[in-house]
Amino acid sequence: MAPAAKKKTSGGAQQKDKNKKKDDAEDDTEDASKDGKGKAKLKPANSINVRHILCEKHSKHLVALEALQSGQSFDAVAREHSEDKARQGGSLGWKTRGSLLAEFESVAYALEPSSTAKPSWGICKTTEGYHIIMVEGRK
């Protein structure tokens, strides 16, 4: 019985396949550290522990942002400037997906957790006003 004929492929096609695999591996590495600091993407969360500072007017929102940028803690700025939940330092507690306004939720779920002393925040505008959002935990 004669051996089965092998399909002839050019060396160039095999080389292209090897290069493609190498490129795919590099793409995966780049995706895991888009900011160049080696940080991986946030894992999906079903709930977040969130705080916010709500200001109806843009000018008051800018004053609150300046306070945060000058190094004040998030809860102190919330007590002073927020028009919602001010007595709790802006804490909304644990919120599940779908329980917040869409604009607010998309910003909040994209944030990395941080502390009130060194907050990492996001900003959005909703029908309620201007929000400065900080996430304390994810699960």
Side-chain angles (χ1 to χ4, degrees):
M1 199 165 169
K6 289 186 178 178
K7 186 175 181 181
K8 189 174 182 182
T9 58
S10 68
Q14 289 174 345
Q15 187 63 34
K16 285 180 187 176
D17 287 344
K18 287 180 184 177
N19 287 341
K20 183 176 180 350
K21 288 177 185 173
K22 184 178 175 185
D23 289 344
D24 288 346
E26 288 173 2
D27 288 346
D28 292 343
T29 305
E30 287 174 23
D31 287 345
S33 60
K34 285 191 178 206
D35 62 2
K37 296 179 185 175
K39 291 184 181 179
K41 290 182 185 178
L42 285 174
K43 291 182 180 178
N46 291 322
S47 62
I48 53 173
N49 188 3
V50 65
R51 290 180 180 261
H52 79 143
I53 300 168
L54 172 64
C55 302
E56 288 182 21
K57 295 187 178 180
H58 188 260
S59 58
K60 189 169 182 181
H61 161 255
L62 293 176
V63 172
L65 270 177
E66 286 177 19
L68 285 172
Q69 291 168 342
S70 72
Q72 291 185 33
S73 72
F74 195 92
D75 55 339
V77 176
R79 280 190 205 94
E80 186 177 342
H81 298 283
S82 186
E83 297 167 14
D84 181 40
K85 302 267 186 180
R87 279 182 240 127
Q88 297 176 17
S91 178
L92 297 175
W94 286 94
K95 298 293 179 185
T96 57
R97 283 194 188 270
S99 66
L100 300 164
L101 294 171
E103 304 93 335
F104 186 103
E105 189 170 287
S106 66
V107 172
Y109 276 90
L111 291 170
E112 287 191 32
S114 61
S115 69
T116 57
K118 293 188 177 182
S120 222
W121 63 83
I123 301 167
C124 76
K125 183 179 187 307
T126 67
T127 55
E128 295 179 5
Y130 298 89
H131 301 264
I132 304 169
I133 307 164
M134 185 199 108
V135 173
E136 290 184 288
R138 301 169 62 87
K139 52 180 173 174

